[in-house]
């Protein structure tokens, strides 16, 4: 079986914040790391990239009077480094929509949709001062649904509704602020109307698609799918491949979505295995996972599948679209302009990145919007990570060292009692349950299994008290430590997708090496044998001794420095 893992392509014109990170890329990374252990490294490909076209960048470039590509080159490099080097995101390919492979793929793909493409005249707002059509974000105004003051021509950032420029109240040119006129221009439309039934049948029959995704897709279909314009009069973008559309570019969503395909093509091309991408897109025995924020559901659950269907190539449709709800920051929306939140180039200077990864997975807004608070972040590190997991590991390892000179004792199965057997069952079942939840896109729920196992292990030690058993009943003490040392191997493997370095550290303390060569399916077996010598012990995690107020104060200091270093586009 092949597994394709994708995460939404971040717009390159803003540094992602922690909500963006957990919504897409970090969740996808945790899943990809799990999938490699479960299905084998060679059967998993994880792609994403920078979404770098679109009006906001063209606006910025115009304001600064430089080429948009200059701005995106810098910003792409900045983001890519942050993801890969700082946040340990294990992309197989982090591409960009300016990649030549992508541009060529998009142009070839779109001409294949010919049957469903219509040319129509459309009235587009036009700024007479700037001599420019004003699609999407070139135009701003008040959202007709929620009254948000800063809505864009294509979508309201507040309520998430898709908009048309006509529907905006008090529309203004985003560059000069003057009201636009409406001018007639020709555009190329992708006619989605034929795909309503197909999308409904596909999504409602899926047993793996999460409910929030199903309900958005079905309500779209119910409202009726209409032709959507896929061309723009912008200069910055991929030139439209249609005859007569030489001066137009492709609307950013219709090409960025194809990045999932083109980045897979590019990955294998770079490996010199040009045909192999097809195994991930055209063969039946593949599962495809998309990790996105909820505002992106219509594009992934309706538009992308419709494009794939329309191409007539039998591409695999998404198996699981794991769409998160929103992460709030201390009760408020993240806001760049109001500096509410934490950004991914700041967070790593405040706290260990793997601690962050754990915090964010534990706060992943899986069922509902979730509030990030510093108090909760500290609780997660100090209680869950340090006490529940770290102390448990340390208790077990120290006892093996103290009572057995670091050598794992021999169990005697005939005298296993119920508590022994229960922990063995939990060792066996926890990774299995975690994997099943992960495969439904439930990453936070899956992570719960780690804590359940660690807490049960702690209780087991308390109840069985091996420190006194060693004096009164050595055989039972042997059993307890044999079983609990094995539970640590299980825990290390389960922790790996979230905390790759710390889990490897635990694995080494167990006297084992190369955690990445483990398999998920073996995580629940008791593979540490009697006579095995454990490694050197040290405490795994440290408590954070700062208060929320102190952390926030330090963040302010960090922010002042970081903002100076950001590339132009990201200031
Ligand atoms: N750039 C989009 C966003 O951040 C996602 C594109 S996914 C192909 O919402």
């Amino acid at each position: 079986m092949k597994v394709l893992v994708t995460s939404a392509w971040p717009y390159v014109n803003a540094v992602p914040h922690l909500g963006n990170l957990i919504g897409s890329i970090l969740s996808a990374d945790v899943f990809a790391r799990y999938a490699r252990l479960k299905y084998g490294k060679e059967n998993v490909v994880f792609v994403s990239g920078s979404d770098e076209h679109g009006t906001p960048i063209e606006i910025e470039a115009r304001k600064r009077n430089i080429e948009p590509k200059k701005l995106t080159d810098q910003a792409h490099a900045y983001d890519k480094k942050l993801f890969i080097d700082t946040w340990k995101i294990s992309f197989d390919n982090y591409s960009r929509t300016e990649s030549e492979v992508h541009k060529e793929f998009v142009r070839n793909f779109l001409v294949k949709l010919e049957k469903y493409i219509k040319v129509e005249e459309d009235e587009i707002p036009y700024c007479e001062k700037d001599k420019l059509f004003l699609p999407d974000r070139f135009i701003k105004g008040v959202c007709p649904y929620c009254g948000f003051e800063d809505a864009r021509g294509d979508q309201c950032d507040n309520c998430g509704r898709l908009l048309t420029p006509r529907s905006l109240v008090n529309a203004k040119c985003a560059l000069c602020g003057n009201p636009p006129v409406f001018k007639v221009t020709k555009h190329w439309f992708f006619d989605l109307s034929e795909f309503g039934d197909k999308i409904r049948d596909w999504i409602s029959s899926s047993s793996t698609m999460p409910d929030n995704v199903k309900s958005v897709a079905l309500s779209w279909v119910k409202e009726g799918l209409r032709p959507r314009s896929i061309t723009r009069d912008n200069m910055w973008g991929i030139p439209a491949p249609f005859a007569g559309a030489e001066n137009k570019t492709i609307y950013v969503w219709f090409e960025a979505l194809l990045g999932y395909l083109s980045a897979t093509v590019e990955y294998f091309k770079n490996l010199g295995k040009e045909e192999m991408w097809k195994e991930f897109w055209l063969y039946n025995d593949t599962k495809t996972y998309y990790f996105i924020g909820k505002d992106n559901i219509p594009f992934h659950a309706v538009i992308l599948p419709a494009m794939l269907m329309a191409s007539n190539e039998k591409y695999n449709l998404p198996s699981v679209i794991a769409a998160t709800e929103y992460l709030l920051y201390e009760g408020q929306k993240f806001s760049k302009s109001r500096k509410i939140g934490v950004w991914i180039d700041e967070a790593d200077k405040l706290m260990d990145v793997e601690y962050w990864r754990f915090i964010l997975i534990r706060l992943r807004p899986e069922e509902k919007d979730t509030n990030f608070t510093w108090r909760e972040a500290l609780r997660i590190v100090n209680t869950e990570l340090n006490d529940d997991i770290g102390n448990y590991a340390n208790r077990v390892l120290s006892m093996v060292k103290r009572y057995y000179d670091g050598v794992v004792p021999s169990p005697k199965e005939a005298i296993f009692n119920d508590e022994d057997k229960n922990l063995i069952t939990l060792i066996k079942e926890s990774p299995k349950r975690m994997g099943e939840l992960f495969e439904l896109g439930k990453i936070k729920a899956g992570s719960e299994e780690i804590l359940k196992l660690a807490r049960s292990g702690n209780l087991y030690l308390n109840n069985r008290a091996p420190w006194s058993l060693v004096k009164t009943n050595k055989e039972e003490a042997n059993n307890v430590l044999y079983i609990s040392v094995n539970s640590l191997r299980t825990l290390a493997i389960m922790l790996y997708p979230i905390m790759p370095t710390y889990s490897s550290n635990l694995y080494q303390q167990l006297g084992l090496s190369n955690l990445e060569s483990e398999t998920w399916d073996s995580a629940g077996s008791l593979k540490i044998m009697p006579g095995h010598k454990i490694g050197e012990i040290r405490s795994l995690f440290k408590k954070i001794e700062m208060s929320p107020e102190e952390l926030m104060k330090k963040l302010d200091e960090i922010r002042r420095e970081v903002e100076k270093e950001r590339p132009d586009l990201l200031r």
Side-chain angles (χ1 to χ4, degrees):
M1 167 133 115
K2 305 279 181 205
V3 181
L4 178 73
V5 186
T6 72
S7 81
W9 289 40
Y11 290 122
V12 79
N13 61 318
V15 182
H17 55 60
L18 296 183
N20 302 136
L21 189 71
I22 185 58
S24 52
I25 285 182
L26 178 57
S27 298
D29 182 55
V30 170
F31 182 78
R33 287 175 180 275
Y34 152 78
R36 292 190 188 105
L37 296 188
K38 172 80 184 171
Y39 297 103
K41 214 170 166 3
E42 65 290 354
N43 294 319
V44 177
V45 169
F46 173 23
V47 296
S48 186
S50 291
D51 188 351
E52 55 186 322
H53 297 130
T55 44
I57 290 158
E58 193 169 338
I59 292 182
E60 280 307 309
R62 271 179 172 263
K63 282 186 190 155
R64 291 162 205 260
N65 203 14
I66 55 173
E67 287 297 312
K69 176 88 172 10
K70 271 230 163 81
L71 291 175
T72 63
D73 280 348
Q74 287 175 353
H76 169 72
Y78 188 77
D79 279 0
K80 184 172 177 178
K81 188 162 184 305
L82 275 170
F83 289 134
I84 295 175
D85 296 351
T86 307
W87 288 89
K88 306 183 188 176
I89 306 296
S90 61
F91 295 118
D92 292 302
N93 187 17
Y94 190 73
S95 188
R96 56 190 295 187
T97 53
E98 267 294 293
S99 128
E100 291 306 324
V101 174
H102 176 71
K103 291 196 260 188
E104 193 192 321
F105 187 91
V106 167
R107 289 168 54 86
N108 290 336
F109 187 99
L110 290 178
V111 287
K112 286 198 213 123
L113 305 190
E114 207 183 354
K115 220 174 117 195
Y116 304 97
I117 303 247
K118 298 195 162 85
V119 189
E120 273 171 35
E121 297 207 315
D122 200 7
E123 279 197 328
I124 306 285
Y126 182 84
C127 177
E128 295 195 306
K129 179 157 177 281
D130 290 316
K131 308 248 171 302
L132 191 72
F133 280 102
L134 303 173
D136 316 316
R137 297 187 183 211
F138 273 108
I139 188 161
K140 300 213 157 177
V142 178
C143 171
Y145 297 103
C146 73
F148 181 60
E149 300 269 335
D150 208 20
R152 302 146 13 196
D154 56 348
Q155 193 169 21
C156 171
D157 278 337
N158 188 51
C159 69
R161 286 270 213 337
L162 298 189
L163 305 176
T164 60
R166 273 276 188 213
S167 66
L168 283 178
V169 181
N170 283 337
K172 291 191 181 78
C173 167
L175 289 170
C176 68
N178 285 332
V181 297
F182 280 81
K183 260 199 176 184
V184 173
T185 166
K186 249 202 238 164
H187 275 298
W188 277 248
F189 286 73
F190 174 42
D191 188 1
L192 286 149
S193 57
E194 295 205 20
F195 296 97
D197 292 347
K198 288 190 185 129
I199 300 236
R200 191 189 48 232
D201 293 348
W202 158 67
I203 206 144
S204 48
S205 68
S206 162
S207 58
T208 48
M209 199 62 81
D211 290 343
N212 59 345
V213 173
K214 279 192 179 179
S215 82
V216 172
L218 291 174
S219 84
W220 261 55
V221 170
K222 204 164 155 221
E223 273 183 33
L225 300 180
R226 283 178 298 271
R228 296 186 78 87
S229 149
I230 63 172
T231 50
R232 290 291 184 269
D233 291 298
N234 296 18
M235 154 205 111
W236 176 235
I238 300 181
F242 314 115
E246 284 73 19
N247 296 326
K248 312 215 176 234
T249 50
I250 299 297
Y251 175 43
V252 56
W253 268 106
F254 282 91
E255 47 113 338
L257 288 167
L258 297 175
Y260 298 126
L261 292 114
S262 71
T264 318
V265 171
E266 185 179 61
Y267 171 63
F268 284 111
K269 190 171 180 193
N270 291 343
L271 289 180
K273 300 175 178 167
E274 317 256 331
E275 293 297 304
M276 212 180 251
W277 71 276
K278 294 183 180 158
E279 294 183 14
F280 288 81
W281 279 99
L282 291 159
Y283 294 6
N284 283 336
D285 191 23
T286 301
K287 275 192 158 185
T288 51
Y289 285 82
Y290 296 76
F291 288 88
I292 62 170
K294 70 173 161 192
D295 48 333
N296 282 345
I297 294 175
F299 297 103
H300 290 79
V302 178
I303 292 180
L304 175 65
M307 288 169 84
L308 295 174
M309 289 171 182
S311 75
N312 232 345
E313 292 274 7
K314 297 207 167 31
Y315 286 120
N316 291 321
L317 301 177
S319 315
V320 174
I321 300 174
T324 48
E325 304 293 310
Y326 292 129
L327 186 72
L328 300 174
Y329 175 79
E330 296 280 350
Q332 303 188 67
K333 283 200 161 194
F334 280 76
S335 160
K336 183 178 170 189
S337 56
R338 290 167 40 222
K339 301 200 179 178
I340 295 172
V342 186
W343 277 262
I344 70 164
D345 53 357
E346 305 169 336
D348 62 299
K349 298 169 186 81
L350 192 60
M351 220 192 291
D352 189 296
V353 155
E354 293 198 16
Y355 284 23
W356 274 120
R357 290 175 56 114
F358 188 80
I359 295 169
L360 292 170
I361 291 296
R362 298 294 299 140
L363 292 176
R364 184 169 188 266
E366 219 148 86
E367 308 284 340
K368 52 182 177 354
D369 292 352
T370 304
N371 194 15
F372 170 93
T373 65
W374 290 102
R375 194 158 298 286
E376 179 63 1
L378 286 170
R379 188 197 64 78
I380 290 171
V381 171
N382 293 346
T383 307
E384 295 190 349
L385 211 47
N386 188 73
D387 296 350
D388 293 341
I389 303 174
N391 284 358
Y392 174 57
N394 204 256
R395 286 174 88 189
V396 174
L397 291 166
S398 310
M399 284 191 272
V400 174
K401 190 167 167 201
R402 184 167 334 130
Y403 303 131
Y404 298 94
D405 207 17
V407 178
V408 176
S410 290
K412 198 166 187 183
E413 241 180 86
I415 58 161
F416 279 174
N417 73 8
D418 282 351
E419 282 177 296
D420 300 333
K421 287 182 199 152
N422 286 344
L423 195 67
I424 293 175
T425 307
L426 201 63
I427 292 172
K428 205 178 283 166
E429 286 179 356
S430 303
K432 197 163 158 267
R433 266 202 300 270
M434 179 169 168
E436 285 163 4
L437 287 161
F438 269 31
E439 301 207 1
L440 294 171
K442 304 209 177 301
I443 309 296
K444 174 196 155 136
S447 75
E448 202 63 49
E449 298 300 321
I450 303 174
L451 286 151
K452 278 191 205 152
L453 179 57
R455 287 178 188 141
S456 304
N458 261 322
L459 279 179
Y460 172 71
L461 286 187
N462 296 349
N463 293 341
R464 294 291 266 141
W467 50 90
S468 54
L469 282 179
V470 284
K471 293 178 215 136
T472 56
N473 189 339
K474 191 77 195 250
E475 284 189 331
E476 287 203 21
N478 294 353
N479 284 351
V480 174
L481 284 163
Y482 164 77
I483 295 169
S484 36
V485 94
N486 267 290
S487 77
L488 295 186
R489 173 179 161 275
T490 309
L491 276 176
I493 299 172
M494 288 168 77
L495 197 57
Y496 165 76
I498 307 176
M499 305 185 83
T501 312
Y502 283 88
S503 58
S504 299
N505 179 331
L506 173 57
Y507 197 72
Q508 274 162 19
Q509 295 192 41
L510 287 165
L512 302 168
S513 61
N514 200 3
L515 172 45
E516 288 184 1
S517 67
E518 280 284 4
T519 64
W520 196 264
D521 289 341
S522 80
S525 320
L526 278 62
K527 292 224 324 197
I528 300 185
M529 294 295 160
H532 171 84
K533 184 130 179 59
I534 63 166
E536 208 177 300
I537 307 176
R538 52 199 177 275
S539 58
L540 198 53
F541 303 113
K542 271 207 270 319
K543 282 202 183 200
I544 296 177
E545 304 290 356
M546 288 165 85
S547 67
E549 293 70 30
E550 286 166 332
L551 283 165
M552 281 190 270
K553 191 161 165 260
K554 194 161 164 214
L555 177 64
D556 280 341
E557 288 160 23
I558 291 168
R559 179 160 298 161
R560 277 196 286 278
E561 292 308 307
V562 166
E563 282 178 348
K564 288 186 220 153
E565 304 297 319
R566 286 185 181 149
D568 286 349
L569 185 60
L570 303 175
R571 295 227 172 138

